[in-house]
């Protein structure tokens, strides 16, 4: 499906962001694993449900925004300074 590579790239970016938030101590290991599993399972569900790549990317961008807002830590602010957020 067109755009699948972009979706995979965004999932990996979110995984990295979530890992940095966890390493900064803002999440327990259990919460980290639960959120990570939820992101990947949701994307897989959306793909199987026939959602377009742009639609999935939009949903993942919303998840990224929620993480950035909820876990304002040195890990996320450093990421923003380095231009890690892409849309």
């Amino acid at each position: 499906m067109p755009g699948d590579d972009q979706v995979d790239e965004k999932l990996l970016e979110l995984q990295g962001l979530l890992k940095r938030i966890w390493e900064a101590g803002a999440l327990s290991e259990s919460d980290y694993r639960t959120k990570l599993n939820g992101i990947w399972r949701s994307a897989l569900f959306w793909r199987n449900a026939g959602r377009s790549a742009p639609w999935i990317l939009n949903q993942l961008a919303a998840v990224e925004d929620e993480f950035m807002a909820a876990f304002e830590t040195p890990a996320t602010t450093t990421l923003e300074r380095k231009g890690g957020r892409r849309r």
Side-chain angles (χ1 to χ4, degrees):
M1 178 184 280
D4 276 351
D5 289 343
Q6 290 175 307
V7 171
D8 292 342
E9 186 178 315
K10 184 53 124 178
L11 285 166
L12 291 173
E13 287 177 20
L14 283 172
Q15 181 175 335
L17 172 62
L18 198 55
K19 184 174 182 179
R20 285 187 292 280
I21 291 170
W22 169 58
E23 288 172 342
L27 282 174
S28 68
E29 184 174 359
S30 175
D31 286 343
Y32 163 72
R33 290 178 184 270
T34 299
K35 289 182 184 309
L36 184 60
N37 190 18
I39 291 168
W40 282 90
R41 292 180 125 214
S42 294
L44 181 61
F45 173 79
W46 293 328
R47 278 184 178 159
N48 289 339
R51 295 293 187 169
S52 68
W55 188 91
I56 295 171
L57 287 168
N58 189 42
Q59 300 308 306
L60 294 175
V63 169
E64 180 181 27
D65 289 345
E66 287 180 28
F67 285 162
M68 296 297 271
F71 303 107
E72 191 64 35
T73 68
T76 57
T77 53
T78 300
L79 179 67
E80 281 184 328
R81 272 189 250 121
K82 292 182 179 178
R85 295 185 67 197
R86 292 187 295 162
R87 287 216 172 181

